[in-house]
Amino acid sequence: MNSGAAVMTRRLVQLYVGLTLYGASMALQIRAALGLDPWDVFHQGLTRHVGLSFGTVTMIVGAAVLLLWIPLRQRPGLGTVSNVFVIGLSVDAALSLIPTLHGLPLRIAVLAAGIVLNGIAGGLYIGARFGPGPRDGLMTGFCRRTGRSVRLVRTTIEITVLVVGLLMGGSVGVGTVAYALAIGPLVQVFLPLFTVAERGAAAEPVAPAPQAAHGSQAAHGSQAEQAPQVTQACEPAAAG
């Protein structure tokens, strides 16, 4: 296998492993029942009203958000489309395997494991460089079209989905705060480790831009074509 094919194979494997682990990390946070990140509060709130699985709702919301890219003139990549389906399928699969948890110490441990796994998964699939997830592409599209800062746009979007999700019955708690505080530093640690350098170029260091601000999704993640270009919004979303 030549070097170009080897790099592409690594990127593809890394993308799908990362997305699968991302869905598993969401399931761990759901089972911990101590609060979710803003987008997943929204997904959970919808789930309580539409009678569909959490993963199915995640996919439907991701597809709907992707439609909003059209007026923003955003172009999806392989990672964008894969994000919609793989995360939704993997979170449902993981939820079917992880039982309801009892006891606060166990739930805290599972929450912590879910957040750390989310950071690892985000580093993997963002570092594969196959395009941003739907939710982060929405954010970067609004930034480009309005000229507003990443901090303002991301905060506005995530507060909106958090409040709407809370009103629909989504879970907000200490886990919501823990995720918000921890996911940015975690992705900052793991993203440089997993970023695949462009062919013939050395990997560039990933450093946060001055306006960088983290909200949720690791989602579902800011996954740009070039990892060094996305640290303004690179922490995943909730199913980015």
Side-chain angles (χ1 to χ4, degrees):
M1 183 182 295
N2 62 44
S3 60
V7 170
M8 179 58 70
T9 299
R10 176 193 163 178
R11 289 175 64 201
L12 287 169
V13 171
Q14 187 171 307
L15 170 67
Y16 290 108
V17 169
L19 291 174
T20 300
L21 292 179
Y22 198 97
S25 75
M26 291 165 60
L28 289 173
Q29 293 170 73
I30 292 168
R31 287 293 186 242
L34 291 170
L36 304 173
D37 71 84
W39 274 104
D40 284 341
V41 172
F42 179 71
H43 297 145
Q44 189 179 59
L46 275 178
T47 301
R48 297 184 187 281
H49 293 276
V50 298
L52 299 173
S53 71
F54 189 93
T56 301
V57 168
T58 300
M59 288 189 282
I60 291 171
V61 172
V65 170
L66 197 54
L67 292 176
L68 296 177
W69 282 33
I70 297 173
L72 296 174
R73 298 181 181 178
Q74 292 277 90
R75 291 188 298 177
L78 174 65
T80 309
V81 178
S82 298
N83 183 297
V84 172
F85 296 103
V86 177
I87 289 179
L89 293 171
S90 62
V91 68
D92 273 353
L95 285 171
S96 71
L97 297 173
I98 304 170
T100 301
L101 304 177
H102 302 284
L104 185 59
L106 176 60
R107 290 164 58 204
I108 291 173
V110 169
L111 172 66
I115 292 173
V116 172
L117 182 60
N118 193 275
I120 294 170
L124 282 167
Y125 82 90
I126 295 167
R129 300 188 299 107
F130 275 112
R135 295 156 187 81
D136 285 319
L138 178 67
M139 176 194 61
T140 55
F142 273 123
C143 289
R144 184 180 303 112
R145 298 286 287 179
T146 65
R148 302 294 184 180
S149 70
V150 170
R151 184 184 303 275
L152 176 62
V153 172
R154 184 167 200 142
T155 300
T156 300
I157 291 174
E158 295 194 354
I159 288 177
T160 300
V161 296
L162 177 65
V163 170
V164 173
L166 178 62
L167 292 174
M168 290 190 296
S171 175
V172 176
V174 65
T176 309
V177 177
Y179 185 94
L181 293 176
I183 195 63
L186 285 169
V187 174
Q188 185 69 17
V189 169
F190 292 116
L191 182 55
L193 298 178
F194 297 125
T195 296
V196 181
E198 291 186 80
R199 189 177 179 186
E204 300 177 45
V206 181
Q211 292 180 333
H214 175 71
S216 79
Q217 277 161 335
H220 305 285
S222 284
Q223 310 82 272
E225 295 272 342
Q226 310 291 333
Q229 294 175 349
V230 291
T231 27
Q232 287 186 343
C234 69
E235 297 86 355

